[in-house]
mmCIF file of all heavy atoms in Angstrom:
data_model
loop_
_atom_site.group_PDB
_atom_site.id
_atom_site.type_symbol
_atom_site.label_atom_id
_atom_site.label_comp_id
_atom_site.label_asym_id
_atom_site.label_seq_id
_atom_site.Cartn_x
_atom_site.Cartn_y
_atom_site.Cartn_z
ATOM 1 N N SER A 283 10.808 29.904 8.554
ATOM 2 C CA SER A 283 10.114 30.664 7.530
ATOM 3 C C SER A 283 8.817 29.996 7.099
ATOM 4 O O SER A 283 8.115 30.507 6.244
ATOM 5 C CB SER A 283 11.014 30.823 6.304
ATOM 6 O OG SER A 283 11.307 29.547 5.739
ATOM 7 N N CYS A 284 8.518 28.848 7.675
ATOM 8 C CA CYS A 284 7.345 28.083 7.257
ATOM 9 C C CYS A 284 6.065 28.835 7.588
ATOM 10 O O CYS A 284 5.838 29.203 8.733
ATOM 11 C CB CYS A 284 7.332 26.728 7.962
ATOM 12 S SG CYS A 284 5.958 25.689 7.467
ATOM 13 N N PRO A 285 5.203 29.094 6.602
ATOM 14 C CA PRO A 285 3.944 29.786 6.869
ATOM 15 C C PRO A 285 3.064 28.944 7.777
ATOM 16 O O PRO A 285 3.198 27.719 7.831
ATOM 17 C CB PRO A 285 3.310 29.924 5.470
ATOM 18 C CG PRO A 285 4.424 29.705 4.517
ATOM 19 C CD PRO A 285 5.378 28.767 5.192
ATOM 20 N N PRO A 286 2.137 29.569 8.496
ATOM 21 C CA PRO A 286 1.252 28.809 9.387
ATOM 22 C C PRO A 286 0.309 27.922 8.604
ATOM 23 O O PRO A 286 0.042 28.138 7.426
ATOM 24 C CB PRO A 286 0.494 29.908 10.138
ATOM 25 C CG PRO A 286 0.536 31.079 9.219
ATOM 26 C CD PRO A 286 1.884 30.996 8.553
ATOM 27 N N ARG A 287 -0.213 26.891 9.286
ATOM 28 C CA ARG A 287 -1.155 25.976 8.668
ATOM 29 C C ARG A 287 -2.325 26.754 8.071
ATOM 30 O O ARG A 287 -2.894 27.644 8.684
ATOM 31 C CB ARG A 287 -1.664 24.998 9.722
ATOM 32 C CG ARG A 287 -2.596 23.922 9.182
ATOM 33 C CD ARG A 287 -3.105 23.070 10.331
ATOM 34 N NE ARG A 287 -2.016 22.394 10.988
ATOM 35 C CZ ARG A 287 -1.532 21.212 10.620
ATOM 36 N NH1 ARG A 287 -2.050 20.599 9.590
ATOM 37 N NH2 ARG A 287 -0.539 20.669 11.275
ATOM 38 N N GLY A 288 -2.674 26.428 6.830
ATOM 39 C CA GLY A 288 -3.790 27.087 6.175
ATOM 40 C C GLY A 288 -3.402 28.307 5.369
ATOM 41 O O GLY A 288 -4.224 28.896 4.674
ATOM 42 N N SER A 289 -2.139 28.726 5.454
ATOM 43 C CA SER A 289 -1.701 29.895 4.699
ATOM 44 C C SER A 289 -1.677 29.585 3.208
ATOM 45 O O SER A 289 -1.262 28.501 2.800
ATOM 46 C CB SER A 289 -0.306 30.314 5.153
ATOM 47 O OG SER A 289 0.242 31.254 4.259
ATOM 48 N N PRO A 290 -2.106 30.522 2.337
ATOM 49 C CA PRO A 290 -2.087 30.284 0.892
ATOM 50 C C PRO A 290 -0.694 29.993 0.361
ATOM 51 O O PRO A 290 -0.530 29.330 -0.654
ATOM 52 C CB PRO A 290 -2.638 31.602 0.317
ATOM 53 C CG PRO A 290 -3.433 32.196 1.429
ATOM 54 C CD PRO A 290 -2.700 31.810 2.691
ATOM 55 N N SER A 291 0.333 30.506 1.052
ATOM 56 C CA SER A 291 1.691 30.299 0.568
ATOM 57 C C SER A 291 2.289 28.990 1.030
ATOM 58 O O SER A 291 3.431 28.667 0.714
ATOM 59 C CB SER A 291 2.594 31.446 1.054
ATOM 60 O OG SER A 291 2.621 31.476 2.472
ATOM 61 N N ARG A 292 1.514 28.219 1.809
ATOM 62 C CA ARG A 292 2.017 26.937 2.315
ATOM 63 C C ARG A 292 1.395 25.801 1.522
ATOM 64 O O ARG A 292 0.187 25.636 1.529
ATOM 65 C CB ARG A 292 1.665 26.790 3.788
ATOM 66 C CG ARG A 292 2.205 25.508 4.402
ATOM 67 C CD ARG A 292 1.946 25.502 5.894
ATOM 68 N NE ARG A 292 2.405 24.270 6.495
ATOM 69 C CZ ARG A 292 2.294 24.006 7.782
ATOM 70 N NH1 ARG A 292 1.761 24.880 8.585
ATOM 71 N NH2 ARG A 292 2.725 22.866 8.273
ATOM 72 N N PRO A 293 2.178 25.011 0.799
ATOM 73 C CA PRO A 293 1.616 23.930 -0.004
ATOM 74 C C PRO A 293 0.972 22.860 0.865
ATOM 75 O O PRO A 293 1.316 22.702 2.029
ATOM 76 C CB PRO A 293 2.838 23.372 -0.740
ATOM 77 C CG PRO A 293 3.984 23.716 0.149
ATOM 78 C CD PRO A 293 3.635 25.044 0.762
ATOM 79 N N SER A 294 0.030 22.132 0.287
ATOM 80 C CA SER A 294 -0.644 21.068 1.020
ATOM 81 C C SER A 294 0.356 20.041 1.529
ATOM 82 O O SER A 294 1.207 19.549 0.797
ATOM 83 C CB SER A 294 -1.654 20.379 0.104
ATOM 84 O OG SER A 294 -2.248 19.293 0.770
ATOM 85 N N ARG A 295 0.286 19.764 2.831
ATOM 86 C CA ARG A 295 1.169 18.818 3.510
ATOM 87 C C ARG A 295 2.624 19.222 3.413
ATOM 88 O O ARG A 295 3.522 18.391 3.538
ATOM 89 C CB ARG A 295 0.977 17.391 2.979
ATOM 90 C CG ARG A 295 -0.362 16.779 3.347
ATOM 91 C CD ARG A 295 -0.463 15.340 2.911
ATOM 92 N NE ARG A 295 0.208 14.452 3.866
ATOM 93 C CZ ARG A 295 -0.412 13.744 4.787
ATOM 94 N NH1 ARG A 295 -1.711 13.840 4.903
ATOM 95 N NH2 ARG A 295 0.253 12.947 5.598
ATOM 96 N N GLY A 296 2.953 20.491 3.234
ATOM 97 C CA GLY A 296 4.355 20.910 3.133
ATOM 98 C C GLY A 296 4.813 21.649 4.372
ATOM 99 O O GLY A 296 4.403 22.776 4.604
ATOM 100 N N LEU A 297 5.687 21.039 5.173
ATOM 101 C CA LEU A 297 6.104 21.652 6.424
ATOM 102 C C LEU A 297 7.339 22.530 6.269
ATOM 103 O O LEU A 297 7.564 23.439 7.048
ATOM 104 C CB LEU A 297 6.370 20.567 7.475
ATOM 105 C CG LEU A 297 5.101 19.872 7.967
ATOM 106 C CD1 LEU A 297 5.460 18.614 8.730
ATOM 107 C CD2 LEU A 297 4.303 20.803 8.852
ATOM 108 N N THR A 298 8.159 22.255 5.293
ATOM 109 C CA THR A 298 9.315 23.092 5.022
ATOM 110 C C THR A 298 9.455 23.209 3.519
ATOM 111 O O THR A 298 8.916 22.403 2.768
ATOM 112 C CB THR A 298 10.617 22.496 5.603
ATOM 113 O OG1 THR A 298 10.809 21.205 5.047
ATOM 114 C CG2 THR A 298 10.555 22.392 7.106
ATOM 115 N N PRO A 299 10.176 24.221 3.019
ATOM 116 C CA PRO A 299 10.309 24.389 1.575
ATOM 117 C C PRO A 299 10.862 23.141 0.904
ATOM 118 O O PRO A 299 11.703 22.439 1.462
ATOM 119 C CB PRO A 299 11.287 25.566 1.461
ATOM 120 C CG PRO A 299 11.095 26.326 2.733
ATOM 121 C CD PRO A 299 10.839 25.277 3.785
ATOM 122 N N GLU A 300 10.387 22.862 -0.280
ATOM 123 C CA GLU A 300 10.801 21.673 -1.018
ATOM 124 C C GLU A 300 12.311 21.654 -1.210
ATOM 125 O O GLU A 300 12.939 22.661 -1.518
ATOM 126 C CB GLU A 300 10.124 21.665 -2.391
ATOM 127 C CG GLU A 300 10.471 20.452 -3.236
ATOM 128 C CD GLU A 300 9.731 20.468 -4.561
ATOM 129 O OE1 GLU A 300 8.818 21.294 -4.713
ATOM 130 O OE2 GLU A 300 10.089 19.660 -5.418
ATOM 131 N N GLY A 301 12.884 20.484 -0.987
ATOM 132 C CA GLY A 301 14.306 20.296 -1.249
ATOM 133 C C GLY A 301 15.212 20.597 -0.080
ATOM 134 O O GLY A 301 16.430 20.515 -0.202
ATOM 135 N N THR A 302 14.643 20.948 1.097
ATOM 136 C CA THR A 302 15.507 21.288 2.221
ATOM 137 C C THR A 302 15.973 20.051 2.980
ATOM 138 O O THR A 302 16.795 20.150 3.866
ATOM 139 C CB THR A 302 14.767 22.210 3.211
ATOM 140 O OG1 THR A 302 13.579 21.557 3.661
ATOM 141 C CG2 THR A 302 14.404 23.527 2.536
ATOM 142 N N TRP A 303 15.437 18.902 2.650
ATOM 143 C CA TRP A 303 15.786 17.678 3.401
ATOM 144 C C TRP A 303 16.093 16.579 2.410
ATOM 145 O O TRP A 303 15.199 15.925 1.903
ATOM 146 C CB TRP A 303 14.614 17.300 4.298
ATOM 147 C CG TRP A 303 14.925 16.212 5.260
ATOM 148 C CD1 TRP A 303 15.961 16.128 6.121
ATOM 149 C CD2 TRP A 303 14.165 15.019 5.462
ATOM 150 N NE1 TRP A 303 15.891 14.978 6.853
ATOM 151 C CE2 TRP A 303 14.812 14.280 6.469
ATOM 152 C CE3 TRP A 303 13.008 14.501 4.894
ATOM 153 C CZ2 TRP A 303 14.334 13.054 6.916
ATOM 154 C CZ3 TRP A 303 12.532 13.283 5.348
ATOM 155 C CH2 TRP A 303 13.193 12.579 6.346
ATOM 156 N N PRO A 304 17.362 16.356 2.071
ATOM 157 C CA PRO A 304 17.716 15.478 0.960
ATOM 158 C C PRO A 304 17.729 13.997 1.272
ATOM 159 O O PRO A 304 17.836 13.182 0.372
ATOM 160 C CB PRO A 304 19.128 15.958 0.613
ATOM 161 C CG PRO A 304 19.684 16.398 1.932
ATOM 162 C CD PRO A 304 18.521 17.025 2.654
ATOM 163 N N SER A 305 17.656 13.605 2.532
ATOM 164 C CA SER A 305 17.782 12.178 2.832
ATOM 165 C C SER A 305 16.439 11.582 3.203
ATOM 166 O O SER A 305 15.398 12.179 3.013
ATOM 167 C CB SER A 305 18.795 11.969 3.956
ATOM 168 O OG SER A 305 18.340 12.565 5.143
ATOM 169 N N THR A 306 16.463 10.383 3.745
ATOM 170 C CA THR A 306 15.250 9.646 4.056
ATOM 171 C C THR A 306 15.157 9.374 5.539
ATOM 172 O O THR A 306 16.159 9.179 6.211
ATOM 173 C CB THR A 306 15.279 8.279 3.321
ATOM 174 O OG1 THR A 306 15.488 8.517 1.950
ATOM 175 C CG2 THR A 306 13.964 7.535 3.520
ATOM 176 N N MET A 307 13.946 9.406 6.064
ATOM 177 C CA MET A 307 13.733 9.052 7.458
ATOM 178 C C MET A 307 12.551 8.106 7.560
ATOM 179 O O MET A 307 11.488 8.361 7.007
ATOM 180 C CB MET A 307 13.435 10.316 8.291
ATOM 181 C CG MET A 307 13.400 10.069 9.790
ATOM 182 S SD MET A 307 15.001 9.654 10.473
ATOM 183 C CE MET A 307 15.863 11.196 10.336
ATOM 184 N N VAL A 308 12.775 6.976 8.204
ATOM 185 C CA VAL A 308 11.712 5.996 8.414
ATOM 186 C C VAL A 308 11.285 6.058 9.868
ATOM 187 O O VAL A 308 12.123 5.978 10.757
ATOM 188 C CB VAL A 308 12.200 4.582 8.068
ATOM 189 C CG1 VAL A 308 11.098 3.565 8.338
ATOM 190 C CG2 VAL A 308 12.653 4.499 6.618
ATOM 191 N N ILE A 309 9.997 6.218 10.105
ATOM 192 C CA ILE A 309 9.463 6.197 11.464
ATOM 193 C C ILE A 309 8.698 4.896 11.625
ATOM 194 O O ILE A 309 7.694 4.683 10.973
ATOM 195 C CB ILE A 309 8.519 7.373 11.710
ATOM 196 C CG1 ILE A 309 9.196 8.694 11.328
ATOM 197 C CG2 ILE A 309 8.066 7.420 13.158
ATOM 198 C CD1 ILE A 309 10.416 9.004 12.131
ATOM 199 N N THR A 310 9.191 4.014 12.448
ATOM 200 C CA THR A 310 8.514 2.742 12.653
ATOM 201 C C THR A 310 8.558 2.372 14.121
ATOM 202 O O THR A 310 9.612 2.281 14.722
ATOM 203 C CB THR A 310 9.184 1.626 11.812
ATOM 204 O OG1 THR A 310 8.609 0.383 12.153
ATOM 205 C CG2 THR A 310 10.664 1.564 12.013
ATOM 206 N N GLY A 311 7.391 2.210 14.682
ATOM 207 C CA GLY A 311 7.304 1.848 16.092
ATOM 208 C C GLY A 311 7.929 2.861 17.011
ATOM 209 O O GLY A 311 8.396 2.551 18.100
ATOM 210 N N GLY A 312 7.963 4.135 16.582
ATOM 211 C CA GLY A 312 8.507 5.184 17.439
ATOM 212 C C GLY A 312 9.995 5.400 17.269
ATOM 213 O O GLY A 312 10.592 6.169 18.005
ATOM 214 N N LEU A 313 10.629 4.746 16.304
ATOM 215 C CA LEU A 313 12.058 4.926 16.083
ATOM 216 C C LEU A 313 12.299 5.656 14.787
ATOM 217 O O LEU A 313 11.697 5.345 13.757
ATOM 218 C CB LEU A 313 12.773 3.574 16.050
ATOM 219 C CG LEU A 313 12.713 2.754 17.329
ATOM 220 C CD1 LEU A 313 13.400 1.419 17.111
ATOM 221 C CD2 LEU A 313 13.355 3.486 18.490
ATOM 222 N N ALA A 314 13.178 6.640 14.799
ATOM 223 C CA ALA A 314 13.535 7.379 13.602
ATOM 224 C C ALA A 314 14.872 6.858 13.081
ATOM 225 O O ALA A 314 15.868 6.870 13.806
ATOM 226 C CB ALA A 314 13.650 8.868 13.908
ATOM 227 N N VAL A 315 14.888 6.364 11.864
ATOM 228 C CA VAL A 315 16.093 5.752 11.316
ATOM 229 C C VAL A 315 16.461 6.397 9.985
ATOM 230 O O VAL A 315 15.729 6.269 9.015
ATOM 231 C CB VAL A 315 15.892 4.239 11.095
ATOM 232 C CG1 VAL A 315 17.186 3.601 10.616
ATOM 233 C CG2 VAL A 315 15.380 3.564 12.342
ATOM 234 N N PRO A 316 17.582 7.138 9.903
ATOM 235 C CA PRO A 316 17.989 7.714 8.615
ATOM 236 C C PRO A 316 18.507 6.620 7.715
ATOM 237 O O PRO A 316 19.166 5.676 8.158
ATOM 238 C CB PRO A 316 19.099 8.705 9.007
ATOM 239 C CG PRO A 316 19.620 8.192 10.289
ATOM 240 C CD PRO A 316 18.472 7.505 10.994
ATOM 241 N N CYS A 317 18.203 6.683 6.414
ATOM 242 C CA CYS A 317 18.668 5.662 5.510
ATOM 243 C C CYS A 317 18.909 6.244 4.113
ATOM 244 O O CYS A 317 18.579 7.386 3.864
ATOM 245 C CB CYS A 317 17.660 4.525 5.423
ATOM 246 S SG CYS A 317 15.993 5.010 4.967
#
Side-chain angles (χ1 to χ4, degrees):
S283 63
C284 182
R287 184 184 298 272
S289 168
S291 61
R292 182 174 178 180
S294 176
R295 291 185 81 100
L297 290 166
T298 58
E300 181 178 349
T302 58
W303 189 51
S305 64
T306 306
M307 188 68 70
V308 178
I309 308 298
T310 173
L313 298 177
V315 184
C317 55

